[in-house]
Amino acid sequence: MGSSKDRLKKDLAAAMRAKDEAAKSTIRMVLGAIGVEEVAGATPRILSDAEELDVIHKELRKRRDSAETYAAAGRRELADKETAEAELISGYLPAPLTADELAALVEEAFSELDEAPTMKQMGAIIRTVTAKADGRAEGKEIAALVRQRLS
């Protein structure tokens, strides 16, 4: 069992003792998503720490997307609930890269190229930066910076 799942279980117990319904339900949703991923496929398996972080990151993106959708539809109370869940979930992820750190990674990826980069190489550059960011940056942020640098 990965360290994220251990931490989630400990925090769930603490939320239950504190009678914190919002934290309890959010942590249970994340643990459920990890459980689903563990049994997905032909045989059950134990997820690595990186795989657990990927699942947590997916859950965070779901909450953020839902909050945007609810806000656009005028459902402020549901958007606030999703935003609160996203904030709680983000506490289980590593600290995101700052804009300067991300820009430095993009510049580093460009400096590793032998020739002048073209738009055809955009996907390869994004993959390189994404690997170096190690889940600490959103793909759309990376793509926007790479696109801006190529323009």
Side-chain angles (χ1 to χ4, degrees):
M1 181 169 21
S3 60
S4 297
K5 190 171 179 181
D6 286 337
R7 182 173 166 213
L8 283 163
K9 286 185 175 189
K10 288 177 186 173
D11 289 352
L12 176 61
M16 291 171 78
R17 281 192 294 275
K19 298 185 185 333
D20 184 352
E21 292 299 319
K24 185 170 70 171
S25 68
T26 302
I27 293 170
R28 281 185 172 158
M29 280 189 277
V30 174
L31 281 171
I34 291 172
V36 166
E37 190 68 27
E38 287 176 334
V39 298
T43 59
R45 61 193 172 92
I46 296 175
L47 299 180
S48 67
D49 288 339
E51 291 172 321
E52 285 180 358
L53 288 176
D54 286 343
V55 172
I56 294 170
H57 202 269
K58 284 181 197 173
E59 291 299 310
L60 176 64
R61 269 184 274 153
K62 285 180 189 177
R63 299 305 176 285
R64 287 182 177 162
D65 290 346
S66 296
E68 288 176 17
T69 303
Y70 286 136
R75 301 291 309 266
R76 178 70 8 221
E77 69 284 351
L78 293 174
D80 291 342
K81 179 182 179 283
E82 294 290 333
T83 302
E85 288 177 0
E87 287 176 18
L88 185 100
I89 292 170
S90 67
Y92 294 96
L93 292 170
L97 293 173
T98 64
D100 292 337
E101 291 171 329
L102 188 55
L105 285 178
V106 170
E107 287 302 319
E108 182 181 326
F110 275 92
S111 68
E112 291 173 0
L113 295 173
D114 294 333
E115 59 208 43
T118 63
M119 286 302 269
K120 289 183 180 180
Q121 295 171 312
M122 183 174 168
I125 296 168
I126 290 172
R127 281 189 293 279
T128 302
V129 175
T130 301
K132 289 180 181 181
D134 198 28
R136 296 178 56 203
E138 294 274 340
K140 62 183 175 185
E141 293 175 48
I142 295 171
L145 281 175
V146 170
R147 187 176 294 112
Q148 178 186 3
R149 176 70 166 69
L150 284 170
S151 299

